[in-house]
Amino acid sequence: MELRLRAGTPNDENRDYVPLGIPGTDMTVNENGNNSQVWPERLREYTGELADGLTDRWYEYVPTSYDGSRPVPLVVSNHGGQMSGWAQAVYSSWTLLAEREGFICVFPDAHELKMWMIQGMADKVRAHPELVLPIPMDPPDWRDNHDVKFVRALIGRMQETYNIDAGRIYMHGMSMGHMMTDQFARFHGDLLAGAAGSGAGSMASQLYDTDGGLRNWGGPVPMWISHPELNGMDGPKQEENAQQKTSRAYWSEVNGIHGLPQIRIEGEDNYAFYRGEKADLVWLDIKNRDHGQTLDEAFLIWKYLFSGCRRLSDGTIAREESLAAAEGDAHALAFAAGSRKAWLHNAPVALPAAPLMWNKLKYHGLEGGTMVRGRYLCVPLRFLAERFGMSYETNEAGTEATVTLRDGRRVQFARGVIACLVDDELVDMYCETLQREGELLVSVEWFCRWLLNLNVSACGDVVYVTDHVAELSTFMAELLKELLS
């Protein structure tokens, strides 16, 4: 069916995490972590005793197309801390996607304090008294975790109530709901054909025992990990990067992933697609996003992972044709300062000299001071010429070079000169041509933008070049440096 966005009334004055006035209205809320759609008209609230004799609440969304005549997928989406099931329905786009794809969604409420019972979370709070959020106490044995038992029973209830395809049950969560989803996948992943989380993940102590063994009872699960670039949930950038690497390493081991990822950047979405022997992994770093989930994440998760995953009756994961192939950018090139490798065709290749981050300087006054007027990554000109199908000629000393572009233009460079000759026209560059290790180096930003009209995105000391709009994020830059080291 054709989707239609319903117009809402923006509440720009709101400063509440989850405005209680949203249910049943057309109110929308937008900030750089939570963005809402208009209240879904078909969202229904339910309560019942599904586990431990306790009353729990959840919200169901059944699409217009459902008539019970055929099995349909089920998506369970877990809310963030201090939120609710209805808030997760509004702050995500699963209900919109359910209308398009014909699956059913359920949004459970955590039983206590609007916070999920997470094994090991109480230990973290005790170790960090600055964390003032009240959280439910986790039992010593995860099998006694009420929220896990409730969500598992809720899946059973949905199967009893509706015609659910048992091979296509998926789970997603945001923030603390991400931790809940990750926890459920570790304990009961054999029930799921895919799991996805936004903005959190698990601590190393939850993933590994004291001997470094995997804490896992659910087996391989196709996994999606979304990380907002400005998440700020695990301290400084280095600590947050370490936590992301730990999560990827854990699910790589569970899912039998051994090779390099495929890298793809679309606008602000920075993807790493990992193929595993048992199940796949997608890691997404989102440029310029704060803690939370983007409104389109459900569509991305379905497009690249869930739509192509099914759990067979023997428990294995079958890869089916997804809506979009989880492939890297076909036309992409990445460099990192100091690395003698470049990222080309989704693999590292050798460079004739290491790229150098160079400061464009303005000499200021008569006291010898300087001011930096730009920082550019200078890379071997010979490599750029070969990569883009150009001829490359140098003088005997290697201090001058001429490249002939595929359109016939001849561009001449000379060591120490900030301009080049394009045919007989003098053109200024971002910074001067350098010579290192016997090779001429030029700004890759200038070369690819001005001569080839390509998209160039720089983050820190990493540069990513593509034939489409792409904005390199901080943590993808860290991953690329790791791959090129």
Side-chain angles (χ1 to χ4, degrees):
M1 65 169 293
E2 182 178 353
L3 292 184
R4 182 181 67 86
L5 286 174
R6 293 163 52 218
T9 299
N11 184 353
D12 297 330
E13 301 305 315
N14 169 71
R15 292 297 180 270
D16 293 329
Y17 184 43
V18 181
L20 297 180
I22 285 180
T25 73
D26 69 348
M27 182 192 303
T28 58
V29 177
N30 289 286
E31 48 102 352
N32 199 30
N34 292 312
N35 310 102
S36 73
Q37 58 160 316
V38 173
W39 178 269
E41 293 178 331
R42 299 177 63 85
L43 189 66
R44 299 290 183 267
E45 177 183 316
Y46 295 87
T47 59
E49 295 181 7
L50 304 187
D52 300 325
L54 301 175
T55 300
D56 284 293
R57 177 179 287 104
W58 66 92
Y59 298 80
E60 298 177 9
Y61 187 90
V62 180
T64 309
S65 62
Y66 178 77
D67 60 11
S69 63
R70 60 181 179 84
V72 300
L74 171 69
V75 172
V76 182
S77 189
N78 300 317
H79 64 76
Q82 298 184 302
M83 291 177 66
S84 61
W86 68 256
Q88 178 63 8
V90 170
Y91 280 26
S92 72
S93 53
W94 285 112
T95 59
L96 281 171
L97 188 60
E99 283 296 326
R100 192 189 78 182
E101 297 295 328
F103 59 74
I104 291 174
C105 299
V106 62
F107 304 90
D109 271 8
H111 184 74
E112 291 184 66
L113 307 170
K114 298 184 178 180
M115 305 285 279
W116 294 104
M117 184 179 288
I118 306 295
Q119 296 301 117
M121 193 66 176
D123 291 337
K124 180 177 181 179
V125 172
R126 282 191 288 267
H128 297 275
E130 72 276 9
L131 298 176
V132 296
L133 292 176
I135 65 167
M137 293 300 294
D138 51 312
D141 190 333
W142 67 264
R143 295 168 184 82
D144 296 325
N145 183 309
H146 172 74
D147 283 340
V148 171
K149 292 165 72 175
F150 160 51
V151 172
R152 178 167 185 171
L154 179 58
I155 292 174
R157 176 189 170 93
M158 299 299 289
Q159 290 178 297
E160 294 172 359
T161 307
Y162 304 103
N163 191 358
I164 300 297
D165 185 342
R168 301 198 69 194
I169 299 174
Y170 309 97
M171 186 174 290
H172 166 259
M174 188 276 281
S175 188
M176 200 176 194
H178 183 172
M179 299 181 73
M180 175 61 180
T181 299
D182 199 74
Q183 172 176 259
F184 193 92
R186 296 196 309 275
F187 299 159
H188 297 301
D190 55 325
L191 298 178
L192 305 176
S198 307
S202 298
M203 300 175 290
S205 61
Q206 295 167 322
L207 303 176
Y208 299 95
D209 60 30
T210 54
D211 296 323
L214 297 174
R215 295 178 57 83
N216 186 282
W217 294 264
V221 185
M223 180 60 63
W224 176 291
I225 303 172
S226 282
H227 176 261
E229 182 189 48
L230 305 178
N231 199 40
M233 289 293 289
D234 295 285
K237 184 183 78 171
Q238 294 82 357
E239 293 181 25
E240 186 143 351
N241 190 42
Q243 191 273 342
Q244 290 293 302
K245 290 173 67 175
T246 299
S247 292
R248 293 199 300 268
Y250 174 86
W251 285 108
S252 291
E253 188 171 354
V254 172
N255 290 349
I257 295 169
H258 306 293
L260 298 177
Q262 296 266 306
I263 304 297
R264 182 178 187 87
I265 304 180
E266 298 176 333
E268 294 183 325
D269 296 328
N270 288 238
Y271 299 95
F273 299 113
Y274 295 83
R275 178 59 64 97
E277 295 172 357
K278 302 172 184 176
D280 297 338
L281 165 67
V282 180
W283 181 70
L284 169 63
D285 194 43
I286 309 170
K287 182 76 174 176
N288 193 35
R289 291 294 306 200
D290 284 292
H291 177 66
Q293 61 192 333
T294 61
L295 194 57
D296 66 349
E297 256 182 77
F299 281 71
L300 302 179
I301 294 166
W302 190 265
K303 177 180 178 180
Y304 285 115
L305 189 67
F306 284 4
S307 65
C309 296
R310 174 183 291 275
R311 189 171 289 277
L312 302 179
S313 58
D314 65 1
T316 60
I317 297 296
R319 293 186 181 93
E320 301 179 344
E321 185 175 351
S322 57
L323 293 180
E327 298 175 346
D329 284 321
H331 303 285
L333 183 60
F335 302 91
S339 172
R340 296 187 67 91
K341 295 178 182 178
W343 186 256
L344 175 64
H345 302 312
N346 277 279
V349 297
L351 292 171
L356 175 68
M357 188 60 73
W358 191 249
N359 289 334
K360 180 179 181 180
L361 299 178
K362 171 182 172 59
Y363 295 99
H364 186 64
L366 301 176
E367 302 301 324
T370 60
M371 300 175 67
V372 176
R373 292 304 195 196
R375 296 182 75 243
Y376 306 104
L377 190 63
C378 295
V379 307
L381 178 60
R382 180 194 308 274
F383 180 85
L384 291 174
E386 292 173 353
R387 162 65 184 89
F388 293 107
M390 307 170 185
S391 67
Y392 180 79
E393 307 167 49
T394 65
N395 63 357
E396 186 173 346
T399 57
E400 299 175 8
T402 300
V403 299
T404 303
L405 278 61
R406 298 171 74 173
D407 61 8
R409 287 178 294 164
R410 288 174 57 81
V411 186
Q412 195 246 323
F413 302 84
R415 182 184 66 189
V417 181
I418 201 169
C420 63
L421 279 172
V422 181
D423 292 330
D424 288 327
E425 191 77 19
L426 193 65
V427 177
D428 237 20
M429 301 187 295
Y430 291 167
C431 65
E432 64 270 33
T433 300
L434 308 177
Q435 188 180 36
R436 297 291 187 276
E437 304 179 61
E439 295 287 332
L440 291 182
L441 277 60
V442 298
S443 159
V444 63
E445 300 94 331
W446 180 87
F447 188 96
C448 291
R449 286 172 181 151
W450 286 87
L451 294 181
L452 303 175
N453 199 32
L454 294 173
N455 183 88
V456 181
S457 179
C459 186
D461 53 1
V462 180
V463 170
Y464 193 84
V465 181
T466 56
D467 59 354
H468 58 270
V469 175
E471 296 188 48
L472 180 64
S473 65
T474 300
F475 291 83
M476 179 56 77
E478 292 295 319
L479 176 57
L480 281 167
K481 285 199 290 186
E482 180 182 335
L483 295 171
L484 294 175
S485 65

